[in-house]
Amino acid sequence: MPGVAYFAITEDPEHRPNRNLTGFWAADREEVDSIAQLVRESGGTVTAGPKLFPISPTYYAVYFEDPCGNAYEIVHRLN
């Protein structure tokens, strides 16, 4: 058994996205910006951000979709 976390996404057989949002923590704002750039370069669609969102004063995130339309969020927030 590997000693690292495992994460998998099961797509619809017809490649139809659902309404789920999968979110991940980022180490800092630079990582959020880096992921946003990677999404753009790899054919995904940034739907919002990267920017501060009014969820909290330090909620810096990017929301995006992969080429199949699945929704994701990368967020950095200070406690």
Side-chain angles (χ1 to χ4, degrees), residues 7-65:
F7 182 83
I9 297 170
T10 303
E11 293 184 297
D12 180 276
E14 301 297 319
H15 299 286
R16 293 177 302 217
N18 58 36
R19 301 205 35 113
N20 290 332
L21 172 70
T22 304
F24 299 92
W25 290 109
D28 51 37
R29 289 183 181 189
E30 290 77 19
E31 186 173 24
V32 174
D33 293 339
S34 177
I35 295 293
Q37 184 62 34
L38 180 63
V39 166
R40 290 183 190 101
E41 292 172 358
S42 61
T45 302
V46 172
T47 57
K51 66 179 186 176
L52 284 169
F53 285 87
I55 296 167
S56 79
T58 62
Y59 200 96
Y60 189 80
V62 63
Y63 293 86
F64 62 95
E65 295 177 352

